[in-house]
Amino acid sequence: KEEDSEEEPKLKYERLSNGVTEILQKDAASCMTVHDKFLALGTHFGKVFLLDIQGNVTQKFEISSVKINQISLDESGEHVGICSEDGKVQVFGLYTREGFHENFDCPIKVVALHPQFTKSNYKQFVTGGNKLLLYERNWLNRWKTSVLHEGEGIITNIQWRANLIAWANNVGVKIYDISTKQRITNVLRDNVSLRPDMYPCSLCWKDNTTLIVGWGTSIKMCVVKERNPTEMRDLPSRYVEIVSAFETEFFISGLAPLADQLVTLFFVKENSEHMDEDFRARPRLDIIQPLPESCEEISSDALTVRNFQDNECRDYRLEHSEGESLFYIISPKDIVVAKERDQDDHIDWLLEKKKYEEALMAAEISFKNIKRHDVQKIGMSYINHLVEKGDYDGAARKCQKVLGKNMELWENEVYRFKTIGQLKAISLYLPRGDLRLRPAIYEVILHEFLKTDYEGFATLIREWPGELYNNMTIVQAVLDHLKIDPTNRTLLTTLAELYTYDQRYDRALEIYLKLRHKDVYQLIHKHNLFSSIEDKIVLLMDFDTEKAVDMLLDNEDKISTDRVVEELADRPELLHVYLHKLFKRDHHKGQKYHERQIGLYAEYDRPNLLPFLRDSTHCPLEKALEICQQRSFVEETVFLLSRMGNCRRALQMIMEELADVDKAIEFAKEQDDAELWEDLISYSIDKPPFITGLLNNIGTHVDPILLIHRIKEGMEIPNLRDSLVKILQDYNLQILLREGCKKILVADSLSLLQKMHRTQMRGVRVDDMAKPFSVVVFHCRHMFHKECLPSSGTLPGVQFCNICSAKRRGPGSGILEMKK
């Protein structure tokens, strides 16, 4: 077999030997039928052999002295049909005595049993010579014969699947539905120039409704479909649709389905440069993917069968076993079995091509089912290959997968990598979980890094658990190197980590603070080292103020506020940051330091002074006012004055020192004090910009006329026109709002009056009608005898309910007199 060295073959091949070899030395194969359990081989000398899957003969039948044309088996493999060139037809049970024997006066080319022939109601078979005959056994145990078709030449092939019989003659292929007794279709032969006896038709069923037809160089895939009942009329209930039709390069000798693909056996003729005629080349077995009008070649193998130079297209046959995807290539002197390559074959091919990575992956995927391959052995070959190539990192990486839990192999590889000077490569992949090597192995690698690569050494210390090696041994080694290079930051950091592993946290903390290392806070938190840092608060805050303050505030139960303030007494800028964050978290926690904070805010953080004064309820206002006045903090002084009740002085500062009319107006609005407005107007009356601001903003608080009347004649006021227009618009808006409110009020009053009127107009039920008394009924539903009511009061003719009046619920508004 030929194969592309770079493309993996899809099939593998072996000759069918044992008994077959001996048979074909003396005879020649003419046909073969495949069952899942055994094979049935027919020869040119009229014999039929039953073979096991390995080719050993289990039974032999002397049928005729001439060529066996066809052997047919039912699905159970219990009955066989045989026909020969001299017209003999035999159908019999392999395990019973029942049988049919008939001699015809013409060669019988094909015979086919009903797939369910074993069952009593399916005792049917067909034969093909110059006509297609159907044999059925009736209830009298006799065989009834029916002619299904004749008159179109010799029938060369029959394939029976379920209720459908397909056959080929000189004209084309036809399908017969035995359940409806209807012929469904006729697929004509394309190339009529080829002799049908030399290039016979190949038929195979892909499933119960899909027939594949190969003839010459043409392949068609035909699907049997149910016809719509409305379209039937006199037509058969089924029809055939050709879903794929295409031409091939060579002549077709056999077809077989393989999932959605097609296995095709080709007879090949090639042109010879030295001979006038074409010569017969090796047959080809191709896997193709059918498309609607073409096909795609998946694989192609040329087969070196015995005596291929002497064979014609009709001498080859392709049979298949559906159960195991086995394909049998039958030629007169050779039978070759093709089967799909399994995972072992795939791995063999990958190893042969030195594709170790893919081979290893494939072996791991199929580890549970793998038969021939040792995954570790493959992996070691791959590692050796990578080392030879100089890909040490790749080889070390593969050690993780390949060596697995084999500690002996791991240690061997470590020493091998040490020998070739590549310990660094394997260090990243050493076991470090539940499975571990001896501590000495890890120490060898750490010492190697310590000699040549401080950064690499530090990385291993960070990544490796401290239990892998003897900590004290490595600590001493680091201290020895620090004697030579005492300020090396990498070594110091690594030493701190080693002390941490060894639970000597104080030493680790010392180093981290000395180095101002970011992990110092993590170390403190993780190992609760707050008692060790009480005298190191300034160092911590100098390193990272924000982190230090957050940590101190989060752990007030461990380091008190008083202690922190005491430590930061000489560093007011740091003290301010701490107290400020404390205040933001809780306005009351550090209340005894609020007086101190006024000066700190004034010195280091003026933008937050005013928010602090607003939010603090423990701040001494006099002290704050004194500090703010000393530093000329106007805004803060204004706030404090207003808070202390001196609003007029606060307003004066806004107008005189800030000269901000908008702020002055806003302040007056907040205080809502008429005297403040008067002061504001008085201060602004000779300042045109202030007047403009007042005209634009006081309309909703003070009557603008009061301001306008006080403006001096002839004073030029910026944007006066716009300000007056705005006042008029505001006034107009107020009028509109009032009118709108009035309309709503009137509408609501009218609606309520109408509702009250309807209520009062309703009748009132009076039950006390037994005696001839006048009754007075109030709208509150209280009733009185007229004689029992006191005389009317100050309003003549108007009376009120005594009960409701006494309870102050309001009087009834009318009287209904009812007389019996």
Side-chain angles (χ1 to χ4, degrees), residues 742-755:
K742 180 181 176 182
K743 287 180 182 179
I744 294 169
L745 181 61
V746 169
D748 286 351
S749 299
L750 180 60
S751 174
L752 292 170
L753 178 62
Q754 290 172 342
K755 183 178 179 182

Side-chain angles (χ1 to χ4, degrees), residues 676-685 694 698 702 707 710:
L676 286 180
W677 282 111
E678 178 62 29
D679 289 348
L680 179 57
I681 291 171
S682 298
Y683 178 81
S684 305
I685 204 66
L694 286 171
I698 69 170
V702 179
L707 174 62
R710 295 175 64 176

Side-chain angles (χ1 to χ4, degrees), residues 64 163 268 418 537 709 720 740 755:
S64 172
N163 291 322
V268 182
K418 182 182 179 183
I537 292 174
H709 281 163
L720 177 61
K755 183 178 179 182

Side-chain angles (χ1 to χ4, degrees), residues 431-500:
R432 60 184 77 169
D434 294 336
L435 290 167
R436 297 173 182 176
L437 307 178
R438 290 182 297 112
I441 301 296
Y442 299 100
E443 290 164 17
V444 164
I445 293 174
L446 288 172
H447 282 295
E448 180 71 20
F449 272 88
L450 197 52
K451 290 176 186 175
T452 59
D453 183 0
Y454 286 166
E455 291 296 335
F457 173 75
T459 301
L460 289 184
I461 294 297
R462 278 196 301 273
E463 293 180 354
W464 284 2
E467 303 83 23
L468 291 181
Y469 47 84
N470 186 316
N471 195 280
M472 289 307 300
T473 302
I474 303 303
V475 165
Q476 190 56 53
V478 175
L479 290 171
D480 291 342
H481 279 265
L482 281 170
K483 290 175 183 176
I484 303 168
D485 189 359
T487 60
N488 188 287
R489 186 178 181 86
T490 302
L491 285 179
L492 286 170
T493 303
T494 309
L495 181 60
E497 290 172 1
L498 289 167
Y499 281 140
T500 302

Side-chain angles (χ1 to χ4, degrees), residues 164 166 173-175 184-188 190 201-214 218-225 239-246 255 262 290 292:
L164 299 176
V173 174
K174 297 171 176 58
I175 301 176
I184 297 174
T185 190
N186 181 22
V187 181
L188 295 176
D190 288 336
C201 176
S202 296
L203 299 175
C204 75
W205 288 98
K206 179 184 176 184
D207 52 45
N208 286 352
T209 58
T210 305
L211 178 69
I212 305 170
V213 180
S218 169
I219 293 179
K220 294 178 181 176
M221 299 188 71
C222 311
V223 178
V224 179
K225 298 187 175 182
Y239 69 98
V240 166
E241 179 181 336
I242 297 176
V243 296
S244 177
F246 52 89
L255 299 169
L262 196 59

Side-chain angles (χ1 to χ4, degrees), residues 350-481:
L350 291 171
L351 291 174
E352 180 185 330
K353 300 300 177 184
K354 294 191 176 181
K355 297 184 178 184
Y356 295 102
E357 174 76 21
E358 295 174 48
L360 186 58
M361 288 177 62
E364 288 172 346
I365 290 169
S366 60
F367 180 72
K368 290 182 180 177
N369 301 317
I370 204 161
K371 296 173 184 175
R372 298 195 303 266
H373 290 102
D374 180 346
V375 176
Q376 205 165 64
K377 183 179 177 182
I378 295 171
M380 289 305 299
S381 299
Y382 187 21
I383 291 171
N384 295 336
H385 172 70
L386 291 173
V387 169
E388 289 169 9
K389 275 175 53 180
D391 184 1
Y392 303 112
D393 184 70
R397 195 181 315 116
K398 288 304 156 205
C399 287
Q400 269 189 320
K401 280 187 175 183
V402 174
L403 306 183
K405 300 177 182 180
N406 192 321
M407 296 298 107
E408 184 181 349
L409 284 179
W410 267 111
E411 293 194 7
N412 291 341
E413 287 304 306
V414 170
Y415 285 116
R416 172 161 76 152
F417 275 72
K418 182 182 179 183
T419 302
I420 59 178
Q422 293 296 329
L423 270 179
K424 290 183 180 180
I426 201 170
S427 64
L428 300 175
Y429 308 104
L430 291 182
R432 60 184 77 169
D434 294 336
L435 290 167
R436 297 173 182 176
L437 307 178
R438 290 182 297 112
I441 301 296
Y442 299 100
E443 290 164 17
V444 164
I445 293 174
L446 288 172
H447 282 295
E448 180 71 20
F449 272 88
L450 197 52
K451 290 176 186 175
T452 59
D453 183 0
Y454 286 166
E455 291 296 335
F457 173 75
T459 301
L460 289 184
I461 294 297
R462 278 196 301 273
E463 293 180 354
W464 284 2
E467 303 83 23
L468 291 181
Y469 47 84
N470 186 316
N471 195 280
M472 289 307 300
T473 302
I474 303 303
V475 165
Q476 190 56 53
V478 175
L479 290 171
D480 291 342
H481 279 265

